[in-house]
Structures are given as structure tokens and as C-alpha cells.
Amino acid sequence: MKPDALIVIDVQRELVGQHPYQEKQLLEKILTLQTACRANGIPVMFVQHTEEEGPLVHGEPTWNIAPEIAPMPAEWVFEKHDRSAFRQTGLDARLKALGAKRLLLCGMQTEYCVDSTIKAGFELGYSITVPQGCTTTYDNRILKASDIILFYERYIWNDHLATVEPLDAVLESIRS
């Protein structure tokens, strides 16, 4: 089924500059999603994490969305100060005003902001699809980033809180 909106979470210069897992592939996949959505009249929305100090302060060059996938002038950008893109950002109100029910989500970090947004979106009644391989994160002291992503895609989200689909299938639904 055709999605109603694409939401790109926290793909900011600072975070991409820390070289998450498969960063180049992620940017290419998100650009492919954006291009397909824009060509088919599906709104593309962005979320930027904002902190009071550090590299993610509003207006700092490192706070900006990665230039490879930068928003178009008329696209919505929401600032968040917490993990969920829905918490006190206006995103839910904008989606409801558009009548959006089916969302595509992609971005960073898989186990933090993407996961929190998926869980909040599920609680708000949205049908969420995550294109496979369209989130990323970093290795941590215990797990490799690839294992974290696989764990969330297969065992936390898919068939529970969201649907995880191959990118080609998602692109086909966008174009339908």
C-alpha cells in the first residue's frame, strides 16, 4: 500500500561524520527514497536532534541535515530534544493535518531515536514501514552495528511495531 509520508530521522552532519555502519549506502538509499517520494507526491519530512550544548546545537553547521539528502525548501523539518520524533515536535499534528496514516521511517540511530519514534508512532496508531537497511548506528562495546540493526529489524520491529520490507518492495509501493 502506498505510504503517506517519509520521515528521515537525525541524519545530521555530526552523526554522519562519526561514520556509522554503511554510511554511504544509507545516504544513497535515503536519497533513492526521497527521490521516489517526491516524484510521486509523497511528503518528505525531516527530524533534527537538537541539544543545548555540543555539536547538535540549533544553527551549528554540524547540526544541519547531511547535504547529500538535504530538505527541499518547502519540506517540513522538525526539531526534537528527546529520542522520539513525536515528542513535543509538532510532527504528529502535521501528519494528522495531512491525513497520513502510513509512514516510511529511516535514519539514525537504530536503537535510539528510530526505535523510540517507531514505538511512539505505533502507540499513536500509525502503520509504519522501515525499508530494510535504511537505518544505521555505530558499534558499541558489546555489539557490532550490523547486529544491532538486524536485531531491531527482525525481532523488535517487524510484525510487531512495524513492517520491515526490502527497499525494492518499498519503492514499488511508492510508485503504485
Side-chain angles (χ1 to χ4, degrees), residues 2 13 18 21 34 38 56 59 62 72 85 89 114 117 152 176:
K2 191 171 186 170
R13 286 181 174 195
Q18 292 178 28
Y21 177 72
Q34 289 174 318
R38 289 169 179 150
L56 296 178
T62 51
M72 302 297 276
T89 62
V114 175
T117 300
Y152 276 85
S176 66

Side-chain angles (χ1 to χ4, degrees), residues 38 43-46 71-77 94:
R38 289 169 179 150
V44 178
M45 301 177 181
F46 297 82
M72 302 297 276
E75 291 175 333
W76 290 292
V77 179
R94 173 57 58 198

Side-chain angles (χ1 to χ4, degrees), residues 58-161:
H58 178 95
E60 291 292 328
T62 51
W63 173 79
N64 291 329
I65 302 291
E68 299 89 338
I69 60 157
M72 302 297 276
E75 291 175 333
W76 290 292
V77 179
F78 299 89
E79 283 187 51
K80 69 178 182 57
H81 299 273
D82 209 332
R83 289 183 182 188
S84 171
F86 288 104
R87 184 174 163 82
Q88 300 174 338
T89 62
L91 175 61
D92 184 44
R94 173 57 58 198
L95 290 168
K96 283 187 167 87
L98 293 172
K101 294 180 171 60
R102 295 174 305 278
L103 308 179
L104 292 176
L105 262 64
C106 61
M108 298 180 65
Q109 280 181 251
T110 304
E111 74 276 31
Y112 292 115
C113 298
V114 175
D115 181 58
S116 294
T117 300
I118 288 171
K119 288 174 178 169
F122 174 82
E123 291 292 327
L124 291 167
Y126 292 102
S127 172
I128 299 169
T129 299
V130 179
Q132 196 168 32
C134 289
T135 75
T136 195
T137 192
Y138 312 94
D139 293 347
N140 64 37
R141 288 179 281 156
I142 300 170
L143 297 170
K144 296 247 179 241
S146 59
D147 294 330
I148 295 168
I149 295 163
L150 182 66
F151 178 73
Y152 276 85
E153 285 185 348
R154 285 194 185 165
Y155 302 108
I156 300 297
W157 302 332
N158 198 35
D159 297 330
H160 303 288
L161 302 167

